[in-house]
Amino acid sequence: MSTITRDEVAHLAHLARLAVTDDELDTFAVQLDVILSSVASIADVAADDILPTTHAVPLTNVLRADEPGTSLNRDTVLLAAPAAEGGRFRVPRILDAQE
Amino acid sequence: MHPPSSMTPVAPQPDAATAPIAPRSFDQVIASYQPVIGLETHIELGTRTKMFCGCAAAFGDEPNTNICPVCLGLPGALPVANAAAVESAILIGLALNCSIASWCRFARKNYFYPDMPKNFQISQYDEPLCFDGWLDVRLPGDSVDIDGNVEQPSSVRIEIERVHMEEDTGKSLHVGGATGRIHGATHSLVDYNRAGIPLVEIVTKPITGTGERAPEVARAYATQLRDVIRALGVSDVRMEQGSMRCDVNTSLQPIGASEWGTRTETKNVNSLRSVERAVRSEMCRQAGVLDAGIRIVQETRHFHEDTGQTTSGRSKEEATDYRYFPEPDLVPLAPETAWVDSLRERLPELSAEKLARLQTEWGLTDKDMAAVLGAGAVQLIAATIAAGATAEVARKWWLGELARRANADGVELEGLAITPKQVAEVQQLVDRGSLNDKLARQAIEGVLAGEGEPGQVVAARGLEVVSDTDTLGAAVDAAIAANAEVAQKVRDGKVAAAGALVGAVMKTTKGQADAQTVCTLILERLSAS
Amino acid sequence: MTEFIKLSAAELAGLVADGTASARDITQAHLDRITSTDERLNAFVTVDAEGALATADAVDARRAAGEQLPPLAGVPIAVKDIVVTNGIETTAASKILRGWIPPYDATIVTKLRAAGLVPLGKTNLDEFAMGSSTENSAFGPSRNPWDLARTPGGSSGGSSAAVAAYQAPLAIGTDTGGSIRQPASLTGIVGHKPTYGGVSRSGLIAYASSLDQAGPFGRTVLDAALLHEVIAGHDPADSTSLDLPVPLVADAARIGAAGDLTGMTIGVVSNLSGEGYEPGVVSAIAATVAQLEQMGAKVVECPCPHFDYALAAYYLIAPSECSSNLARFDAMRYGLRVGDDRQASLEAVMAGTRDAGFGAEVKRRIIIGTYALSAGYYDAYYGQAQKVRTLISRDFITAFSGCDVLVSPTSPIVAFELGPRAEDPMAMYAVDLCTLPASLAGVPAISVPCGLSDGLPVGLQIMAPVLADDRCYRVAAAVEASLNSPVLAAAPQL
């Protein structure tokens, strides 16, 4: 398994919408490299025929009836929002100004 | 895990088409290329509640009134899958002749977008609920082969790759820019009523070998897919309301080449007619680019209803890595055979058998039936017949006058503001002799213009046929007096000349007379003297 | 009425039920204790004195009306601030959620209220439950009542400190990789992680969905068991909740207290010892195992070879799920928003808010998870970790074919000093070594105080098969009974 570079960390931070500072990038690059090399041992443990466990307890077909439940009060919800307008959540421009 | 082909992340590529390149004509495209198309169709299911919570799955409510911790993605809220949505998806899969997975999982598709409350969409990834199906699509038979023979309507088998479940996103209103577009907007306002409404995505395998009929095939597939799903009763499948959305993949393969070309995905295709137009326009555009020696950029494009063209939707796209992984908050689906079988029994009579039966009942030729299918008029005609019209008359209205009007307005037949019941009522007025053909068309026009029910339109516009023989008699006498020469010819036995007199009477009665009655009156008078 | 604070939950409930004491007086005594000690401990993020007294009054009114009260009615409880509480600020100890007033209750909070328990407030934790010391809290670390320079463990360190310091007889914690058991061990109290699916996750702010479980803290095994029975059970709002009878854990605790383990086979996990384990911890555990044998249990050695990979698997799975779970904190619908000057783009506001709102450990885990899930690495990391999970489950199945429960230290070390370890992520992660296997396999595990090492408490971890939580309580109660005096009695007075 490869080591992780500062550029990769920057790319991952962007994917995760984290505007990390240069200092954070430096720290994280070193720390993540240590962490990833520590967990690298995992690569050789399990054979191909081992099925992955995604759920600790095996259940299937947990479904609910198509019955209406309670919705929230809009005013309560919008009051907790950073910005609202006309019964809707107000969010900043989706595209940059120059786009 | 590899993403399905349609979801392969795209690295940004240099935009080759900085200068506009003229598209080729469709004939030019066909001379040099073989199109490969594919359709990804999203169907909003008509369940009472959302996919993973009990909020109403309603269209058109006040913004943000159908939201709860789950569909708003509040911290701590957990999804629970809607049984009716799962059953609807299985029904769609069965109707499309798919295999139903014996075990499959939901997956999270991770990307940030403000209309997606959790910043991941619960979808399915490499384990779709239904897979490997097909839909036989009948095409209108009006094309002519190279020997000049009219081809019989043909049928194309569209292979279905997968049918999977996912949740819809909210809706954004873009403010501050021109006409609500995202470009130039200063901010956006988000309504999450739609967030979490169950969607079923139906993905075809690549459709090859259809040549010049590719645009038609795309439309015919979308039309028949809509009809199949409507017959299941699991969605209202209205493209104009967004409960059916088609993304169209198009690529061109130079004739003789062994590999397929690079594909584009066209979104924002909002009507069946646009499905056809989008394929056609994208084929022409791609041929222009390829002929200029430039490669096609794999990208999302947006179709514009007004211009009939596609534009690049790439402005904010980037290398996307959706980081799919199995949804840990939901347990796998494992539809047992007994459950699937019980759903299979609920399937209405579908496609092939039903269409064959209707064709017989309605007494249509293969060609007529193909035209009905192509126009997406099966349900409309059936409903018109159910409301009391004969098959012949119902077909005549929907494929004649109404098709003409729909085409002129650029809408689908079902988008017209007239119901099958109203069409049947107009016809009943004709059958009773209250309206003639011309007046009936005016009545239809009135209904379409929102003037009310047919009876109201007839009354308001004064469209009633003049059947009062005294009034008509006076008009006939006047016509005979004014056209003495013609009248004489009729008296001399040239009955055909009476047509001119009929025309004159119709003119003075402004078309509100019954032509047959007028003719009879004229002949009576002229033979009696 | 300070003597109230030293009583067990079972005793307090008895006083309320027979009218000897009012729920209000008991609640007030605990609120007073919080007032006098929490400046030093920092166990609470929010204290809801008004709400607590109102709830207590309601319980007193029910009793006055002649109503039969549920078993823990009138008993105060502290709730980890990652559990959503309607109308009470819920922060997950993160700046990004500061000020958020949830419009709904977690299922377990609904159950607490229905049972007449009295929530005193919300306790401190490592931000979003990511950490083992509470040092990752946006509100500063909680402190261990045994030694204020040391950690009460994490992530549920506020809850463990509150119970160990007699601020509350009971507390709710959540455990993803050991976040109930390790703090219980480090503060000398009892903490149980139920079988995955045994307690509803609805309303727990998710860290790693496939691992998260809420569970009880108490100073006695019976108290923890009584609370377990209040919060456990099927919840239709949680798809992963088990629709099966709740194990009879309170009965098991009472049976275990008799000190007879005849007929039980106890497996000692041979590879949860050795290098990195403090000698004092190892000897306390060995002495306890010898005690168990004395009480009639048969003791066997159980090798669980794949436990060695639990740390690696956990630190891939948990960050992966967290990277997705925490994506919703984006400054759009609730919580913090920074940098919205009405010019900045959405992405700038989102990314700026997330950078400002999350602490370093949360960001680290989000980035690791983003990496482990990305297209080129999925198979090598996340996929492989899930396979290791299968192997760990198989180790448990094999072991449980030869024994009823497995035991190990809960933590390889006793409570450590705040500060130095926080600088080194891997050193901090290694603290979770013993608790991770049960988390990955979804099996129940309890930590019970069993002795001291250098004057600080040591916890024994008891792991059982899925839905055999009762075995954990039975053996834990036997351990508790075997001690001459409660471990916590050795703690200095605050």
Side-chain angles (χ1 to χ4, degrees), chain C residues 21-392:
Chain C
S22 71
R24 170 172 264 270
D25 288 346
I26 290 169
T27 300
Q28 189 60 57
H30 286 91
L31 290 170
D32 292 346
R33 175 70 176 173
I34 293 169
T35 306
S36 66
T37 55
D38 210 45
E39 254 176 48
R40 284 169 284 165
L41 286 172
N42 195 31
F44 281 83
V45 170
T46 303
V47 177
D48 180 24
E50 205 178 308
L53 290 171
T55 307
D57 287 346
V59 171
D60 289 334
R62 280 168 74 181
R63 207 202 78 83
E67 222 178 289
Q68 173 84 37
L69 295 177
L72 290 176
V75 178
I77 186 166
V79 179
K80 186 179 184 180
D81 200 25
I82 202 164
V83 180
V84 167
T85 42
N86 193 356
I88 300 170
E89 183 179 358
T90 300
T91 66
S94 179
K95 276 189 278 189
I96 211 159
L97 261 188
R98 214 164 175 174
W100 182 56
I101 312 287
Y104 78 109
D105 266 333
T107 298
I108 56 172
V109 173
T110 306
K111 290 187 173 206
L112 293 180
R113 294 194 200 277
L117 281 123
V118 180
L120 298 170
K122 309 295 290 290
T123 55
N124 196 18
L125 65 149
D126 288 292
E127 184 178 10
F128 288 106
M130 297 179 204
S132 310
S133 69
T134 68
E135 287 166 284
N136 299 328
S137 167
F139 306 108
S142 296
R143 291 170 183 279
N144 194 322
W146 288 77
D147 176 350
L148 295 175
R150 291 175 190 268
T151 176
S155 66
S156 313
S159 286
S160 68
V163 173
Y166 303 97
Q167 293 177 330
L170 296 171
I172 295 289
T174 63
D175 188 315
T176 305
S179 281
I180 291 174
R181 292 160 284 162
Q182 184 257 16
S185 175
L186 268 49
T187 55
I189 64 171
V190 179
H192 179 67
K193 182 199 86 75
T195 297
Y196 183 85
V199 175
S200 170
R201 291 188 297 114
S202 177
L204 307 191
I205 299 180
Y207 157 28
S209 310
S210 75
L211 301 163
D212 295 342
Q213 268 295 287
F217 282 107
R219 286 189 295 267
T220 70
V221 175
L222 179 62
D223 278 5
L226 290 169
L227 178 55
H228 183 124
E229 290 192 351
V230 170
I231 59 174
H234 179 241
D235 179 12
D238 174 2
S239 305
T240 61
S241 165
L242 296 168
D243 193 1
L244 292 166
V246 176
L248 299 173
V249 294
D251 283 352
R254 293 187 187 101
I255 293 166
D260 183 4
L261 294 176
T262 309
M264 276 198 107
T265 304
I266 288 169
V268 178
V269 184
S270 43
N271 39 334
L272 291 181
S273 70
E275 201 189 332
Y277 288 74
E278 286 178 1
V281 170
V282 173
S283 58
I285 297 296
T288 307
V289 170
Q291 273 292 325
L292 295 173
E293 213 164 5
Q294 293 237 313
M295 288 187 274
K298 183 181 161 199
V299 174
V300 297
E301 283 270 312
C302 286
C304 295
H306 297 101
F307 285 16
D308 296 349
Y309 300 96
L311 187 77
Y314 177 83
Y315 279 100
L316 289 168
I317 292 167
S320 295
E321 293 183 10
C322 111
S323 71
S324 174
N325 282 331
L326 269 58
R328 71 189 61 197
F329 302 103
D330 65 355
M332 297 300 127
R333 290 160 298 279
Y334 47 80
L336 184 72
R337 179 185 287 186
V338 299
D340 184 9
D341 57 4
R342 304 268 152 130
Q343 297 302 316
S345 73
L346 179 118
E347 188 179 324
V349 172
M350 258 189 199
T353 301
R354 287 165 63 79
D355 191 56
F358 289 139
E361 182 60 26
V362 170
K363 285 188 250 187
R364 253 192 306 271
R365 293 197 196 188
I366 288 174
I367 293 174
I368 294 174
T370 304
Y371 179 76
L373 287 177
S374 56
Y377 301 103
Y378 183 95
D379 289 331
Y381 286 112
Y382 190 77
Q384 196 67 18
Q386 298 282 29
K387 288 183 173 186
V388 168
R389 213 170 161 176
T390 306
L391 294 173
I392 289 170

Side-chain angles (χ1 to χ4, degrees), chain B residues 466 472 476 501-503 505-506 509 513-524:
Chain B
V466 180
L472 277 184
V476 167
L501 293 172
V502 174
V505 174
M506 295 303 280
T509 57
D514 180 61
Q516 195 56 50
T517 313
V518 172
C519 192
T520 308
L521 285 173
I522 290 169
L523 292 178
E524 274 173 19

Side-chain angles (χ1 to χ4, degrees), chain A residues 55 61 64 66 72 74 87 89, chain B residues 49-50 53 63-64 67 330 334:
Chain A
H55 298 80
N61 299 339
R64 71 184 171 82
D66 187 20
L72 290 169
R74 178 171 79 182
F89 294 84
Chain B
T49 66
K50 292 187 179 181
C53 67
N64 292 310
I67 53 173
L330 291 164

Side-chain angles (χ1 to χ4, degrees), chain B residues 20-179:
Chain B
I21 295 166
R24 311 301 293 212
S25 75
F26 192 71
D27 289 344
Q28 287 171 320
V29 181
I30 294 307
S32 315
Y33 299 98
Q34 182 63 247
V36 177
I37 58 172
L39 287 97
E40 294 173 21
T41 310
H42 285 89
I43 306 291
E44 224 173 55
L45 296 176
T47 48
R48 293 176 73 194
T49 66
K50 292 187 179 181
M51 183 70 225
F52 299 115
C53 67
C55 286
F59 176 84
D61 284 354
E62 277 287 295
N64 292 310
T65 50
N66 300 323
I67 53 173
C68 76
V70 176
C71 58
L72 197 57
L74 291 188
L78 296 174
V80 184
N82 182 337
V86 174
E87 294 198 333
S88 298
I90 294 175
L91 280 170
I92 291 174
L94 291 173
L96 297 175
N97 307 291
C98 288
S99 301
I100 308 302
S102 57
W103 191 89
C104 66
R105 289 175 295 190
F106 289 99
R108 290 188 187 176
K109 180 182 185 181
N110 294 286
Y111 64 100
F112 284 84
Y113 207 79
D115 62 11
M116 213 166 45
K118 304 181 293 293
N119 286 315
F120 60 79
Q121 181 190 32
I122 304 179
S123 179
Q124 293 194 284
Y125 180 52
D126 49 358
E127 298 163 3
L129 181 57
C130 320
F131 55 93
D132 288 348
W134 46 265
L135 179 65
D136 281 339
V137 169
R138 296 222 263 176
L139 299 173
D142 54 358
S143 66
V144 174
D145 70 16
I146 45 170
D147 299 325
N149 301 319
V150 175
E151 281 183 355
Q152 288 304 301
S154 49
S155 176
V156 179
R157 174 157 292 191
I158 307 294
E159 306 278 347
I160 306 292
E161 181 174 297
R162 54 189 279 147
V163 175
H164 74 250
M165 315 196 61
E166 58 189 32
E167 56 178 340
D168 210 345
T169 59
K171 268 184 173 170
S172 300
L173 208 65
H174 306 298
V175 185
T179 60

Side-chain angles (χ1 to χ4, degrees), chain A residues 1 35 37 54 59 98:
Chain A
M1 270 180 229
I35 294 166
S37 50
T54 48
L59 293 170
Q98 63 270 22

